[in-house]
Amino acid sequence: MARLSVLGISGGVSTPSRTTAVVNALVKAVALRIPADTGLIEITEAAPSLFAGLSRGALGASGEAIIQRVEKADLLVGTPVYRASYSGALKHLFDLVDYHALAGKTVLLAATGGSPYHGLVLEHQLRPLFGFFGAVTVPTGVYGAPDDFVDAKIVGAAIIERISRAATEAASLLNSSHTDAAVATRVG
């Protein structure tokens, strides 16, 4: 059976990034629960390749490689909240992803924002986005508010507990879908 690919995506454009801290923590927490290859795409670093074209056909090789990593991953996560929604940079990334590529994939939703009031972006923005792709979203989302961090490091007990719970749920879903795919391959 092939190893799972746990790919974190940090959709922010600032450094240091609270979003990247949450995404990294989630990727590591999931990888502690299941054997997986892990990776991270930070939009701050990927932007030159992704914004080289407004359509997938206009991307260069490095932009296409980023899109293919997203499409082949078994788990995706993360965005900061800008003006009550996910970042435009993250939206551009997912505008380039084939809409069939994420069907049935497990997606762990995570976001950070400047106020606890933006936590609903997980339910009102991100869950519908991945519903469009036919992805399976983990029930527990992770939202980090300013009080959860000190210098872009996670310190809040509640967010640490949510990361653990979400990672356990994601690992369970990943194990289930990965086992189902392996059985289907042997049967088919």
Side-chain angles (χ1 to χ4, degrees):
M1 191 179 318
R3 284 174 61 92
L4 292 167
S5 170
V6 177
L7 178 65
I9 300 173
S10 179
V13 293
S14 63
T15 304
S17 168
R18 293 179 300 170
T19 303
T20 299
V22 171
V23 169
N24 274 326
L26 287 164
V27 168
K28 288 175 184 174
V30 171
L32 286 173
R33 289 159 174 80
I34 56 172
D37 295 322
T38 62
L40 175 68
I41 293 174
E42 290 189 76
I43 295 295
T44 54
E45 295 172 7
S49 298
L50 293 175
F51 293 122
L54 296 178
S55 67
R56 189 161 177 173
L59 293 179
S62 61
E64 179 61 27
I66 292 167
I67 301 303
Q68 287 183 18
R69 279 183 74 197
V70 171
E71 292 175 344
K72 291 176 183 173
D74 293 300
L75 176 69
L76 311 169
V77 290
T79 184
V81 176
Y82 290 118
R83 301 185 185 201
S85 188
Y86 45 85
S87 70
L90 189 72
K91 172 72 167 102
H92 181 67
L93 168 65
F94 285 103
D95 282 346
L96 300 172
V97 169
D98 181 275
Y99 72 96
H100 293 101
L102 303 182
K105 300 274 181 104
T106 301
V107 177
L108 201 162
L109 305 175
T112 59
S115 158
Y117 302 115
H118 287 124
L120 286 174
V121 76
L122 296 170
E123 302 303 323
H124 294 280
Q125 300 288 320
L126 291 175
R127 215 170 287 279
L129 170 67
F130 290 105
F132 164 80
F133 282 106
V136 177
T137 55
V138 174
T140 298
V142 176
Y143 179 79
D147 290 347
D148 293 319
F149 303 89
V150 172
D151 297 327
K153 291 186 178 29
I154 301 168
V155 296
I159 192 172
I160 291 168
E161 190 279 324
R162 284 192 310 275
I163 288 168
S164 178
R165 185 173 64 229
T168 298
E169 292 171 3
S172 177
L173 285 168
L174 284 165
N175 274 329
S176 174
S177 66
H178 199 62
T179 301
D180 292 347
V183 168
T185 301
R186 284 193 301 267
V187 172

